[in-house]
Amino acid sequence: MKQFTSIKDVDNLTDLLAIAKKCKETPYQYQHLGKNKTLGLLFFNASLRTRLSTQKAAFNLGMQVMTMNIDKEGWQLELEEGAIMNQQSQEHIKEAAQVLSQYCDCIGIRAFASLEDRTKDYEEHLLQKFIQYSSVPIISLESATRHPLQGFTDLLTIEEHKKHSRPKVVLTWAPHPKPLPQAVANSFVAWMQQAEVELVITHPKGFELTPSVTQQTPVVYDQEEAFQEADFIYAKNWSTYAPYGQVGVDLSHWMIDTAKMALTNQAYFMHCLPVRRNVVVEDAVLDAPTALHIAQANNRTYAAQAVLLKFLQDD
Ligand code: AN0
Ligand code: CP
């Protein structure tokens, strides 16, 4: 594997899932492979799970890790070719990416969507610039439009908990007071489309994801209808794609509660976290034994470890 920015970078998904399961069973088996290898983690945004689970994954493989909150601790980066840098930006990404490639054997980058410029976000402007100028593999820690480590983790968690061969998996929009990226939803859909599941998306009218993500996946605008017979309910807020980055109004009735969960086939509840309790989902749903959000967070380590192990093996 040359990079991990999307499910499209995965040659053999069955193989990658098997590696993640193996890493979970015997986390320290491959410690020798990471000896004297350095992972650099660059954060333009906050993180709890991605930062610590990816570090833990690297430690399990015997790697060294350097982590930087690059938005606060680094120089302000310029992305444009030929820029006359007499304003705010202090360092061009050309230099930054080449320098970092000398210090690191693999670089992880978290850079959320701006939610202002849809074209630049969906072109993955920042991530693509890093890929262009780096000479080591790049791993996405959530980019403008995708969160592949989350999608991979979610697939692993569903594989572990499914009660029959083709479970019904519902991605449901849920309320949130601030505009959030579409990245988690986009990746969840992409990974589920490659899995043995019946995927249904439900959201209020106006919150359609881009058609290149949704493809043939059915969209049901009635949340309660979508929940019927569901085996997994995956809740996530996202802001609108068109017009871009809006939150919507009066949609608090989309919150997931026990009454809605009772419509399902005793479904598991999933969320990538962080979650706003009693806004996105009611306490009782999160505190029930059918909630998988903590198990998902645990699997983040093994998803990251499988990806890092692939890089080390292909090195
Ligand atoms: C981010 C998002 O929705 O993309 C990160 C989720 C993993 N969520 C928030 O900022 C709350
Ligand atoms: N799910 C997830 O990526 O969490 P963090 O934003 O805390 O890393």
Side-chain angles (χ1 to χ4, degrees):
M1 199 157 47
K2 296 273 177 286
Q3 60 181 31
F4 184 77
T5 65
S6 140
I7 193 170
K8 293 190 182 133
D9 293 323
V10 178
D11 312 321
N12 186 332
L13 183 54
T14 311
D15 182 41
L16 196 65
L17 266 172
I19 294 172
K21 286 178 191 163
K22 185 88 185 141
C23 288
K24 192 168 180 177
E25 277 165 30
T26 51
Y28 313 117
Q29 189 186 341
Y30 303 100
Q31 284 238 321
H32 57 287
L33 286 178
K35 189 170 159 41
N36 298 330
K37 299 282 181 186
T38 304
L39 172 67
L41 298 178
L42 307 177
F43 286 86
F44 288 87
N45 312 95
S47 170
L48 188 155
R49 279 143 292 274
T50 304
R51 178 169 174 156
L52 297 182
S53 65
T54 310
Q55 283 189 194
K56 189 170 158 69
F59 295 150
N60 287 352
L61 292 167
M63 299 178 84
Q64 311 278 341
V65 185
M66 299 191 294
T67 305
M68 188 171 178
N69 294 318
I70 192 166
D71 61 321
K72 299 183 191 79
E73 298 161 351
W75 303 109
Q76 187 163 327
L77 290 182
E78 176 62 54
L79 303 184
E80 300 307 326
E81 287 294 323
I84 299 166
M85 291 170 54
N86 62 0
Q87 297 294 315
Q88 298 307 315
S89 52
Q90 295 147 313
E91 170 152 36
H92 204 283
I93 195 159
K94 272 189 193 183
E95 277 77 43
Q98 290 183 74
V99 169
L100 287 161
S101 299
Q102 298 178 110
Y103 303 155
C104 306
D105 298 285
C106 173
I107 300 173
I109 299 166
R110 165 164 282 201
F112 286 176
S114 68
L115 295 179
E116 283 163 12
D117 186 333
R118 188 175 76 188
T119 305
K120 275 202 171 139
D121 283 350
Y122 271 76
E123 282 171 3
E124 292 287 5
H125 192 57
L126 181 68
L127 186 69
Q128 289 307 326
K129 290 281 175 192
F130 263 105
I131 291 169
Q132 185 180 347
Y133 296 119
S134 299
S135 50
V136 297
I138 297 288
I139 175 167
S140 165
L141 307 174
E142 185 174 335
S143 68
T145 70
R146 296 188 192 100
H147 194 355
L149 281 174
Q150 187 66 53
F152 181 21
T153 299
D154 298 334
L155 175 55
L156 178 61
T157 311
I158 288 172
E159 284 288 319
E160 286 175 340
H161 289 86
K162 69 182 182 189
K163 292 182 189 140
H164 52 95
S165 58
R166 196 163 182 272
K168 178 174 174 183
V169 175
V170 177
L171 168 65
T172 178
W173 186 93
H176 194 276
K178 301 228 167 105
L180 295 183
Q182 293 109 29
V184 170
N186 287 346
S187 278
F188 186 71
V189 171
W191 287 74
M192 286 302 114
Q193 283 168 342
Q194 299 301 315
E196 269 301 306
V197 303
E198 179 199 346
L199 177 63
V200 172
I201 305 173
T202 182
H203 58 68
K205 284 219 162 90
F207 284 83
E208 288 74 12
L209 298 166
T210 179
S212 65
V213 165
T214 311
Q215 299 185 37
Q216 309 307 318
T217 301
V219 176
V220 175
Y221 292 106
D222 182 332
Q223 192 185 33
E224 297 194 353
E225 183 192 327
F227 274 40
Q228 309 284 335
E229 300 302 320
D231 298 298
F232 293 88
I233 297 294
Y234 191 100
K236 183 68 186 84
N237 172 269
W238 61 90
S239 59
T240 54
Y241 178 77
Y244 195 50
Q246 311 289 305
V247 281
V249 283
D250 290 337
L251 292 167
S252 57
H253 59 284
W254 276 77
M255 182 177 78
I256 318 307
D257 59 18
T258 45
K260 287 178 194 169
M261 291 302 289
L263 300 170
T264 68
N265 183 23
Q266 296 178 309
Y268 286 110
F269 175 83
M270 299 180 74
H271 193 282
C272 65
L273 301 179
V275 71
R276 289 184 184 238
R277 281 175 170 257
N278 304 308
V279 173
V280 172
V281 51
E282 195 180 52
D283 278 338
V285 175
L286 280 173
D287 296 334
T290 42
L292 292 182
H293 55 304
I294 306 299
Q296 283 169 266
N298 186 38
N299 279 338
R300 289 295 306 269
T301 299
Y302 308 107
Q305 196 170 331
V307 170
L308 290 173
L309 184 55
K310 275 299 243 182
F311 286 151
L312 292 172
Q313 286 172 334
D314 294 352
D315 193 15

